[in-house]
């Protein structure tokens, strides 16, 4: 019954909707002003076509309305079918292009985690220890994104992986993961605003940081008020700048290491050996490596946003697959190569990596601790530290911008799934999730806590906020891989072959690899957080600073389980959906299975006829 989507919704470009066609395109200032004000009104669902065939079993007048229309009749659907349908037909604007998703994927996660957070990783684990941990977490990230790409290509729905957990595992689990992910980004925006304000102290300490917070707060708000197209264009520009900067830094690092800078000696690998440095921290080296897992995980957060944006992409099948391939290059070039270089340029024993007892240092956003900046300063290249600081400012603004996108879309999905206040699903006439945006903008005001005199109060507040998101991304990645396995299981019990109806298929073993690795690193991080390096007694404050997200996640899960028992009559002992209960059709961008199978077969036949150089190019790009 739910699988009777009309052909108008089956194309790869999706329904463009006509939200812009109903407005006058006059450029008179008065008309532009009224048009801007009018755009904040509720989305006009009357401009959306019905997606049900009138010949189907749905015969009431309400059945011909679009599923997101307030008067659509969901009484004939189960809660699971309603969740799949309402997120699959979200009226969010469809303006992201392939180049947007590719650039967002390439540069979206290059932020303070790499430029500043790597200082803590280097100091704790040493150059080789840091490298091994980041490579390991990078392998988990890449395999998880492979699984996510399969799901997001088949189901480009609102909330993406936030919604998949509800559809393929369990509503309570989905509730916990979704709020966990939303909180991760809600607390990121104010932190990034504080970081950018502190960065300006490199040039001028006379201006109060709150002034810079206000300026960049307005910049991020304005960018996101332009909708997903504004976000896509801004992130594309930021990503290009970050990519050029990281590649430029790596080239410069090779010159510095080999003694190519006039007046500077040959460095080589001396910082990887005693007495200048070493491969690992000499104090409990293995535990030091385990201790930085949360740090490395936080740095990779943001990679998954390309899938979150799938529902707002014109061509999700093409865009997602292209973005997926770029993740490998980003991990290899931007993370691994950069970490090798800073390990060669800065000894892990350098006290500047630890920062000072300042507001910026205690929160972890002190630009002076960045190994990138320290390396350039050590080479006595006068202009480059300033240029690097400018790049870091752009990077911080980019991550703050991404946090608005990630949190607002997650909150919008929560509203649509009835796992949060229904107002969160408010979408305005330009396809913007305005309620979610307003919630994030409100959280962003926490950045003005930087105005509190002294470092202690601000530090304590932000450290506890950050503790909610330290391991959040690993919990999200764990749910993504489980969703992939559950989806494949649901296909299997229906005797349907994934290669026949999926544009992209990810090997099942990658999900198993990621699940086993995530459980392992969570256990190791638990041990290192509870018994920090150099401390053989339990340190509960250190533990909660890193692991607070876990009890919060469990609390969300238990609360929703109780709610589901009382109001939805779901047994407390029902922990997951059976393979038969999972709906693997509702939410598909193209629901005509025979047409889809024919299209996939024709594409594969066409690909086989291409020359070898084209096949090699498509494999890597």
């Amino acid at each position: 019954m739910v699988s009777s989507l009309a052909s108008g919704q089956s194309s790869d470009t999706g329904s463009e909707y006509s939200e812009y066609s109903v407005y006058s395109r006059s450029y008179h200032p008065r008309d532009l002003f009224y048009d801007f004000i009018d755009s904040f009104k509720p989305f006009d669902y009357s401009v959306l076509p019905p997606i049900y065939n009138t010949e189907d079993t749905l015969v009431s007048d309400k059945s011909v309305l679009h599923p997101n229309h307030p008067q659509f009749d969901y009484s004939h659907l189960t809660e699971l079918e309603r969740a799949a349908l309402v997120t699959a037909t979200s009226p969010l604007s469809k303006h992201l292009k392939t180049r947007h998703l590719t650039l967002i994927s390439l540069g979206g996660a290059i932020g303070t985690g790499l430029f500043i957070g790597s200082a803590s990783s280097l100091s704790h684990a040493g150059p080789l220890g840091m490298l091994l941990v980041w490579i390991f977490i990078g392998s988990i990230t890449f395999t998880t994104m492979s699984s996510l790409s399969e799901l997001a290509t088949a189901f480009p729905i609102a909330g993406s992986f936030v919604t998949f957990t509800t559809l393929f595992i369990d509503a309570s689990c989905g509730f916990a993961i979704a709020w966990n992910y939303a909180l991760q980004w809600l607390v990121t925006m104010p932190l990034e605003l504080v970081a950018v304000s502190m960065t300006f102290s490199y040039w001028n300490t006379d201006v109060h940081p709150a002034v810079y917070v206000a300026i960049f707060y307005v910049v991020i708000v304005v960018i996101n008020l332009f909708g997903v197209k504004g976000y896509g264009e801004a992130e594309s520009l930021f990503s290009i700048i970050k990519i050029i900067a990281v590649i430029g830094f790596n080239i410069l690092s090779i010159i510095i290491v080999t003694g190519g800078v006039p007046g500077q000696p040959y460095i080589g690998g001396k910082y990887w050996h005693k007495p200048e440095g070493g491969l690992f921290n000499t104090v409990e080296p293995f535990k030091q490596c385990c201790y930085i897992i949360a740090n490395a995980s936080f740095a990779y957060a943001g990679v998954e946003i390309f899938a979150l944006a799938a529902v707002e992409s014109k061509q999700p099948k093409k865009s997602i697959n292209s973005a997926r391939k770029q993740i490998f290059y980003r991990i290899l070039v931007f993370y691994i190569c950069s970490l090798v270089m800073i390990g060669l340029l800065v000894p892990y024993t350098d006290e500047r990596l630890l920062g000072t007892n300042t507001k910026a240092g205690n929160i972890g956003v002190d630009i002076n601790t960045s190994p990138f900046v320290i390396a350039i300063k050590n080479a006595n290249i006068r202009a480059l530290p300033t240029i690097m600081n400018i790049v870091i400012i752009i990077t911080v603004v980019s991550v703050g911008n991404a946090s608005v996108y990630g949190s607002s879309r997650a909150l919008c999905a929560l509203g649509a799934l009835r796992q949060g206040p229904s107002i969160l699903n408010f979408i305005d006439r330009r396809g913007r999730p305005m309620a979610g945006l307003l919630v994030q903008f409100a959280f962003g005001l926490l950045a003005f806590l930087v105005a509190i005199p002294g470092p202690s109060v601000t530090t304590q507040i932000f450290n506890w906020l950050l503790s909610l998101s330290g391991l959040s991304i690993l919990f999200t990645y764990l749910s993504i891989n489980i969703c992939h396995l559950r989806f494949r299981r649901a296909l299997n019990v229906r005797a349907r072959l994934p290669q026949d109806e999926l544009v992209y298929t990810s090997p099942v073993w990658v999900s198993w690899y990621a699940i086993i690795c995530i459980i392992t690193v969570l256990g190791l991080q638990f041990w290192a957080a509870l018994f920090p390096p150099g401390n053989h007694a339990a340190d509960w404050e250190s533990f909660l600073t890193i692991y607070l997200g876990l009890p919060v996640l469990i609390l969300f899960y238990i609360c929703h389980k109780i709610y589901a028992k009382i109001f939805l009559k779901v047994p407390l002992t029902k922990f997951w959906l059976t393979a038969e209960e999972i709906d693997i059709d509702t939410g598909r961008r193209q629901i005509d299975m025979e047409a889809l199978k024919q299209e996939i077969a024709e594409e594969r036949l066409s690909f086989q006829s291409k020359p070898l150089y084209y096949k090699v190019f498509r494999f890597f790009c």
Side-chain angles (χ1 to χ4, degrees):
M1 177 169 64
V2 184
S3 62
S4 55
L5 290 170
S7 58
Q9 290 284 326
S10 64
S11 70
D12 208 17
T13 59
S15 174
E16 286 292 335
Y17 307 140
S18 54
E19 68 256 50
Y20 292 105
S21 63
V22 298
Y23 296 107
S24 169
R25 302 320 300 168
S26 169
Y27 291 97
H28 189 282
R30 182 191 63 244
D31 294 331
L32 289 174
F33 174 76
Y34 286 130
D35 183 52
F36 176 74
I37 298 300
D38 192 55
S39 70
F40 291 96
K41 294 180 179 179
F43 192 91
D44 184 6
Y45 290 95
S46 65
V47 304
L48 299 180
I51 64 166
Y52 275 82
N53 293 327
T54 55
E55 294 83 6
D56 198 27
T57 55
L58 304 175
V59 295
S60 68
D61 293 337
K62 291 182 180 180
S63 67
V64 298
L65 296 174
H66 188 274
N68 273 269
H69 195 286
Q71 297 180 350
F72 187 86
D73 183 13
Y74 280 105
S75 61
H76 54 278
L77 302 178
T78 66
E79 186 64 20
L80 192 62
E81 290 172 332
R82 193 207 72 83
L85 188 58
V86 73
T87 52
T89 58
S90 173
L92 290 169
S93 180
K94 306 290 190 295
H95 284 291
L96 284 180
K97 300 178 181 178
T98 300
R99 67 177 177 88
H100 290 141
L101 252 65
T102 301
L103 286 170
I104 289 170
S105 175
L106 274 172
I110 301 177
T112 52
L114 176 62
F115 286 122
I116 301 177
S118 56
S120 176
S121 294
L122 178 59
S123 177
H124 277 284
L128 184 57
M130 172 185 66
L131 187 62
L132 292 175
V133 172
W134 284 56
I135 289 176
F136 187 48
I137 301 299
S139 71
I140 295 173
T141 301
F142 180 69
T143 51
T144 300
M145 293 308 104
S146 180
S147 300
L148 177 58
S149 295
E150 177 181 312
L151 294 173
T153 304
F155 297 89
I157 59 180
S160 187
F161 47 86
V162 170
T163 304
F164 292 153
T165 312
T166 295
L167 300 182
F168 300 139
I169 303 177
D170 172 66
S172 297
C173 186
F175 176 84
I177 291 294
W179 277 107
N180 174 73
Y181 186 78
L183 284 173
Q184 169 195 324
W185 285 120
L186 285 172
V187 301
T188 298
M189 179 185 176
L191 178 72
E192 300 301 322
L193 288 173
V194 171
V196 76
S197 69
M198 294 298 184
T199 304
F200 275 91
S201 65
Y202 180 84
W203 296 288
N204 188 343
T205 58
D206 296 331
V207 180
H208 197 284
V211 174
Y212 298 114
V213 168
I215 292 172
F216 286 96
Y217 178 86
V218 171
V219 169
I220 292 176
V221 168
V222 170
I223 288 174
N224 283 275
L225 285 182
F226 276 99
V228 70
K229 190 173 184 179
Y231 166 77
E233 294 296 346
E235 276 303 296
S236 296
L237 177 60
F238 293 152
S239 294
I240 290 172
I241 295 173
K242 290 187 288 185
I243 290 167
I244 293 173
V246 172
I247 293 175
F249 174 81
N250 286 328
I251 295 173
L252 174 64
S253 297
I254 296 173
I255 296 173
I256 297 174
V257 168
T258 56
V261 177
Q264 296 299 312
Y266 170 80
I267 298 175
K270 73 174 184 177
Y271 293 142
W272 287 51
H273 305 282
K274 294 180 179 180
E276 288 85 356
L279 296 177
F280 299 94
N281 194 315
T282 56
V283 180
E284 299 184 275
F286 180 70
K287 186 182 285 188
Q288 294 278 14
C289 291
C290 296
Y291 191 74
I292 68 168
I293 288 173
N295 194 316
S297 302
F298 180 79
Y300 281 106
V303 174
E304 73 289 341
I305 282 184
F306 80 94
L308 200 63
V311 71
E312 297 177 80
S313 171
K314 290 184 177 182
Q315 297 178 304
K317 287 196 295 187
K318 179 181 179 182
S319 301
I320 293 173
N321 199 34
S322 176
R324 174 189 60 84
K325 294 176 182 179
Q326 308 307 321
I327 293 173
F328 174 78
Y329 304 118
R330 177 169 61 190
I331 292 174
L332 179 64
V333 177
F334 301 150
Y335 284 89
I336 307 308
C337 289
S338 296
L339 294 175
V340 170
M341 289 296 102
I342 65 175
L344 291 172
L345 291 170
V346 182
Y348 84 88
T349 54
D350 194 320
E351 294 182 354
R352 289 174 293 179
L353 295 171
L354 299 175
T356 56
N357 188 27
T358 62
K359 189 175 295 186
N362 291 334
I363 298 174
V365 294
D366 187 355
I367 188 65
N368 294 305
T369 67
S370 170
F372 292 80
V373 175
I374 292 174
I376 296 173
K377 283 182 177 179
N378 289 345
N380 290 324
I381 305 175
R382 294 183 179 180
L384 283 183
T386 295
I387 295 174
M388 199 67 208
N389 281 340
I390 293 173
V391 170
I392 292 177
I393 289 173
I394 293 173
T395 296
V396 169
V397 174
S398 171
V399 176
N401 193 38
S403 70
V404 176
Y405 184 87
S407 64
S408 62
R409 271 58 183 183
L411 291 171
C412 184
L414 281 164
L417 293 169
R418 296 177 180 171
Q419 294 178 347
S422 59
I423 189 63
L424 292 176
N425 193 36
F426 178 87
I427 298 174
D428 68 16
R429 294 200 173 185
R430 294 294 173 86
R432 298 171 296 198
M434 189 51 61
L437 289 172
L438 292 177
V439 172
Q440 177 64 88
F441 295 157
F443 263 81
L445 295 175
L446 289 173
F448 287 99
L449 291 171
V450 76
I452 299 176
S456 59
V457 177
T458 306
T459 298
Q460 291 176 4
I461 294 173
F462 272 102
N463 282 341
W464 285 113
L465 286 175
L466 283 173
S467 66
L468 293 173
S469 61
L471 295 173
S472 171
I473 198 64
L474 288 180
F475 301 139
T476 302
Y477 286 179
L478 182 63
S479 71
I480 290 171
N481 288 288
I482 295 174
C483 284
H484 180 233
L485 295 179
R486 297 301 297 155
F487 172 61
R488 284 297 191 88
R489 175 61 181 164
L491 280 175
N492 185 54
V493 299
R494 291 168 175 80
R496 291 164 59 172
L497 299 176
Q499 61 267 27
D500 288 343
E501 57 183 79
L502 299 176
V503 177
Y504 167 74
T505 57
S506 173
V508 172
W509 69 263
V510 303
S511 291
W512 280 114
Y513 168 81
I515 290 171
I516 294 170
C517 289
I518 290 172
I519 293 174
T520 301
V521 298
L522 286 174
L524 292 173
Q525 178 68 88
F526 186 96
W527 167 62
L530 186 57
F531 302 96
N535 188 353
H536 297 288
D539 187 338
W540 290 102
E541 184 176 350
S542 171
F543 173 77
L544 289 176
T545 300
I546 295 175
Y547 244 96
L548 182 61
L550 180 59
V552 172
L553 185 75
I554 295 173
L555 179 63
F556 276 132
Y557 178 81
I558 293 174
C559 289
H560 191 274
K561 268 295 179 188
I562 296 173
Y563 166 83
K565 169 64 177 177
I566 297 174
F567 296 100
L568 304 178
K569 309 304 178 184
V570 178
L572 291 175
T573 54
K574 184 174 178 57
F575 299 111
W576 56 79
L577 297 169
T578 65
E580 291 76 13
E581 290 174 321
I582 295 174
D583 186 351
I584 59 174
D585 289 321
T586 305
R588 302 283 287 270
R589 180 65 63 96
Q590 186 166 348
I591 202 64
D592 188 337
M593 284 296 106
E594 294 305 318
L596 180 59
K597 290 178 181 179
Q598 179 67 23
E599 179 185 342
I600 293 173
E602 290 175 356
E603 287 180 358
R604 288 176 178 164
L605 185 63
S606 175
F607 181 79
Q608 292 174 359
S609 66
K610 299 292 184 181
L612 179 61
Y613 72 86
Y614 178 85
K615 294 179 180 179
V616 173
F617 174 78
R618 295 304 301 170
F619 177 80
F620 289 103
C621 303

